[in-house]
Amino acid sequence: MSTRRSPAISARKAPQQARSNELVAAILKAAIQVLVKEGAQRFTMARVAEKAGVSVGSLYQYFPNKAAVLFRLQSDEWRQTTGLLRVLAEDTSRPPLQRLRALVHAFVQSECDEAAVRVALSDAAPLYRDAPEAQEVRASSQAMIEAFLREALPASTQAVRTLAGDLIVTTLSTVGKRFSEAPRILAEIDTYAGALADMLCAYLGSLSDGPSSTAPRTPPRQRQRAAKK
């Protein structure tokens, strides 16, 4: 049984001159416009070239296929968001819970700001999801969360921190995606992000209260049986 290989998603070459940088910027701008208007299924190199006002050959000088263009858009979005969140997470001048609150607000705001592009890129994810480049980006984000939780929960076990990280990341991505599917005004974003931050900070705070945070929790049914006895 043959293993299906992921398409190459690395750029063919990096632009070296100002003119080349401008061309790639124009291509990426056109790619966003085509993606938002046509969706991932109708996204083609020909449509991007037409929108950018360049030849298809010019696109292939820098990107081997449409998966590479889409991944570049996704990685740029990831890099921008992760860079912002990393600054907040690593700001040791503030306590961890304050940093988590700021991180939640920034994440929800970014989800709403990039909603149209993000939804379209989610549809395109199967084209590059399993590629090594995509795995490296995810690993970098995971390392940031792990470092933050080691500082926030120094007395907890690795298992507790792993669970906390998975819960926080899953909650943010799922809830943020759902909330940003509809247009939101600033007041709505602030209120929603505040409530989400309250929930996650309360959870993280409960884990850092004391030794009990590292102890295994008794399942609810077992607690009920013990109470009856």
Side-chain angles (χ1 to χ4, degrees):
M1 181 176 178
S2 62
T3 302
R4 184 179 179 181
R5 297 181 62 186
S6 298
I9 61 174
S10 295
R12 288 188 184 279
K13 66 177 182 178
Q16 301 295 326
Q17 300 178 347
R19 185 176 179 181
S20 298
N21 282 313
E22 291 173 0
L23 175 58
V24 170
I27 290 171
L28 295 175
K29 182 179 179 180
I32 291 175
Q33 294 172 341
V34 171
L35 182 63
V36 172
K37 181 180 179 181
E38 303 290 346
Q41 300 303 319
R42 290 174 54 81
F43 183 94
T44 65
M45 297 288 269
R47 285 192 171 95
V48 173
E50 181 181 4
K51 189 68 176 179
V54 300
S55 67
V56 176
S58 296
L59 266 68
Y60 283 108
Q61 288 182 24
Y62 298 97
F63 302 99
N65 47 49
K66 72 175 186 178
V69 179
L70 290 166
F71 179 71
R72 171 62 185 271
L73 297 179
Q74 180 66 89
S75 61
D76 284 351
E77 192 275 330
W78 277 339
R79 190 178 299 108
Q80 180 179 357
T81 301
T82 301
L84 172 62
L85 299 184
R86 188 182 299 279
V87 169
L88 296 173
E90 296 178 352
D91 182 9
T92 56
S93 67
R94 295 194 290 177
L97 292 185
Q98 286 187 17
R99 280 181 266 165
L100 178 59
R101 181 171 295 278
L103 187 150
V104 170
H105 276 266
F107 180 82
V108 174
Q109 182 68 61
S110 70
E111 287 287 279
C112 292
D113 290 344
E114 303 294 333
V117 175
R118 177 184 47 74
V119 170
L121 284 173
S122 294
D123 293 336
L127 292 173
Y128 53 76
R129 179 172 48 207
D130 298 326
E133 296 92 333
Q135 294 174 6
E136 290 175 7
V137 172
R138 289 194 292 269
S140 176
S141 298
Q142 182 64 31
M144 176 191 70
I145 295 296
E146 290 176 355
F148 170 74
L149 289 174
R150 281 196 299 271
E151 181 184 354
L153 302 172
S156 295
T157 64
Q158 181 60 47
V160 169
R161 290 195 292 267
T162 298
L163 175 61
D166 182 65
L167 189 147
I168 290 172
V169 171
T170 301
T171 300
L172 283 176
S173 59
T174 303
V175 176
K177 177 180 181 297
R178 178 71 177 272
F179 178 71
S180 64
E181 287 176 349
R184 305 291 182 178
I185 62 174
L186 187 59
E188 287 181 297
I189 296 173
D190 189 59
T191 298
Y192 197 87
L196 182 57
D198 286 343
M199 181 180 69
L200 292 178
C201 285
Y203 168 66
L204 203 63
S206 71
L207 295 180
S208 60
D209 282 342
S212 61
S213 65
T214 63
R217 297 188 177 187
T218 305
R221 288 186 178 180
Q222 293 184 22
R223 289 202 300 269
Q224 291 174 1
R225 292 171 184 169
K228 290 179 179 179
K229 294 179 181 179

